Every structure is written in structure tokens, then in C-alpha cells.
Amino acid sequence: REIYQKIMDRFPGHSRRSDARYLYVETFIGAEGLPRAIEEVRAMEEAGEEHLGPELYAVASGHVQAKEFALAKTLCNEIITRFPDGAATGAAYVALAHMHQRDGDEERTVAAYRQAAMAKSFDTNYGVMDASNTKNEAHEFLGEYYMKQEDWKEALHWWETWEPHSWCGNCAW
């Protein structure tokens, strides 16, 4: 944690400062818990830090893992509202889609994935290739969803606009 704090203090304009800030918040999630982590994010806001969507997403993700879905939804909605063009907005939409799907709310699930498909992509590291980002996850879900609905035109739209940049090669065999 100290090294991340030093990076943030000594290199305020450095391009990797946001990475240090994100990792700094994550250290609180693991060591001192989610309430302490959100306190740190709020303190950063009070100190004038901007674009804290990824840090809020780290805390929201922690709430999902802890099965504290109401708190996770609140933070995801805050990210979407405050940082509509931010780096973590796509991830917030996908997290909401997962939670809505868990709740059995099909309409909200589809709506959240549609929003994720339009938001900036955020790497999820769920899969082996770069298709595991929020935009591609949304396209894949929507393509499959509309196929199950037998809405072939809409399904085709999502499959044709899906833009993964690499493949593992297994499909070619």
C-alpha cells in the first residue's frame, strides 16, 4: 500500500497514477474491508481526485463477491450516473446485468447489456482472449438472447457487430 501511496504523491501527472490509485483502493478491500475501501475513495474525492469510476467499481465488485447486491447496485448506478463516459461504466452495466439476471429480471438484464454494448470496453479477464471485455460480453449475451427469442434479425445484428480482436485458435480445428 505504501508504494502506491508514494507513486500517487510523487508523480501526480504520471500516466500510470490511476493504476496506482486503483491498486491502492484494492489493498483496503483485501486487508481492511469494503467500508474502509469506500472511505478511501470518498477521501480521494474530497481531496479533488477525478474520474474515480474504476475505484468505485473495485468496491462494487467486492460487494458482489460478498453477496451484498444492494450496495453493489448503488455503486454501479453511481458510476453510470457520475461517469457516463468513464472507463468503468461498461463494467458497471455488466455487473448490473449479472445482478438483474440473478434476480430474474429479464427486461433489466437485456437493457443493462444493451448499455454495456454502447459503453467503453473494460477488460474483465473472465476468459482466455480479449473477447473477455464488457463490450464483447454484452454482444455475446445479446446475440444468444435474441437467438433464444427467435428474433433472428436482432441476433444477427449483435453477432455481426461483435468485434473480438483475437481468437485462441481452437475454433479453426
Side-chain angles (χ1 to χ4, degrees):
R1 180 179 309 163
E2 290 176 21
I3 188 108
Y4 300 131
Q5 184 66 55
K6 285 179 184 178
I7 291 170
M8 292 187 306
D9 292 343
R10 292 184 184 169
F11 306 102
H14 195 278
S15 63
R16 301 301 301 261
R17 186 174 187 278
S18 62
D19 294 335
R21 193 173 67 185
Y22 178 86
L23 293 169
Y24 177 77
V25 169
E26 279 198 329
T27 65
F28 285 96
I29 294 170
E32 298 178 38
L34 295 165
R36 182 71 174 95
I38 197 66
E39 284 177 18
E40 281 300 312
V41 174
R42 300 302 183 207
M44 288 177 181
E45 288 176 320
E46 289 177 17
E49 293 283 343
E50 296 179 348
H51 309 292
L52 290 165
E55 291 77 6
L56 286 171
Y57 178 73
V59 179
S61 183
H63 283 297
V64 169
Q65 291 173 2
K67 298 187 181 344
E68 297 168 344
F69 300 112
L71 292 169
K73 286 178 182 178
T74 299
L75 288 173
C76 286
N77 283 317
E78 180 180 347
I79 293 164
I80 290 163
T81 302
R82 292 183 56 204
F83 310 107
D85 298 322
T89 303
Y93 278 120
V94 167
L96 283 174
H98 290 179
M99 289 183 277
H100 293 317
Q101 191 171 25
R102 179 196 147 279
D103 295 342
D105 191 335
E106 184 176 321
E107 187 176 318
R108 283 183 156 177
T109 300
V110 172
Y113 272 123
R114 283 178 160 279
Q115 293 289 6
M118 293 184 290
K120 285 184 182 176
S121 189
F122 188 87
D123 286 338
T124 60
N125 300 313
Y126 294 152
V128 180
M129 56 187 182
D130 73 348
S132 66
N133 63 46
T134 54
K135 189 177 289 285
N136 287 330
E137 181 179 338
H139 278 259
E140 187 174 6
F141 173 88
L142 292 165
E144 289 177 8
Y145 173 80
Y146 286 110
M147 284 176 65
K148 289 176 187 170
Q149 301 299 310
E150 296 184 7
D151 185 342
W152 308 115
K153 183 177 179 182
E154 189 68 15
L156 182 62
H157 162 75
W158 291 106
W159 290 123
E160 286 184 338
T161 57
W162 187 25
E163 297 180 347
H165 298 285
S166 67
W167 294 95
C168 62
N170 291 333
C171 299
W173 301 104

